[in-house]
Amino acid sequence: MVGISGASGAMLGIRLLQVLQPLDVEVHLVVSRAAELTIAQETDLTPDAVRQLADRVHEPADVGASIASGSFPTLGMAVVPCSIRTMSEIAAGVTSSLLTRAADVALKERRRLVLAVRETPLHALHLRHLASLAEAGAIIAPPVPAFYTRPKTVDDIIDHTVGRILRLFDIDAGLAPEWQGLG
């Protein structure tokens, strides 16, 4: 499952979908209303074009969707990018949308939940919520550039971040080469 929330960095979620498309992975997608605005602001794509990158699209208000139930088998969920609002709702157990409900289900079923939290600076309440999510089993994976890869473009940074996120689900798309050490 992939959730795209309204944080800046919509291209991270879009690129994740693009990379997953040719792989043998069924992708269920939830795009928040705020994410639709961010997609329009940050990219030349429409929200509908982004939705077409997934196998199955669920409306944010459809809390009765298949992915809202723990009986629906998944590898887990990645929320990329993850806004502070979305992160805070998940941390508080508030499931006001399908995106936060699906994330809550991933946690309760002990499936992988990867949150690419996109905010800086963080204050104490953000950090407390992030710590409680980590304690509950979520993986907090902010999209932080890895400069040791010597990126030449923003796309290089995006691909490395997406590759790292996919590796958290044991999917190697060849975007984040394994570190071979110095020398």
Side-chain angles (χ1 to χ4, degrees), residues 2 4 10-11 13-15 17-18 21 27 29-31 35-36 39-40 43-57 80:
V2 174
I4 300 178
M11 197 59 214
I14 294 166
R15 184 66 178 138
L17 293 169
Q18 291 170 337
Q21 210 172 27
V27 177
L29 174 65
V30 181
V31 179
E36 290 180 356
I39 289 166
T43 77
D44 294 328
L45 299 171
T46 65
D48 284 338
V50 173
R51 287 184 189 95
Q52 289 181 15
L53 297 170
D55 297 300
R56 184 85 193 271
V57 178
V80 182

Side-chain angles (χ1 to χ4, degrees), residues 149-160:
T149 64
R150 296 193 179 210
K152 293 175 182 44
T153 66
V154 172
D155 287 342
D156 291 344
I157 294 170
I158 290 169
D159 277 355
H160 188 263

Side-chain angles (χ1 to χ4, degrees), residues 118-122:
R118 235 298 299 132
E119 185 64 71
T120 190
L122 299 167

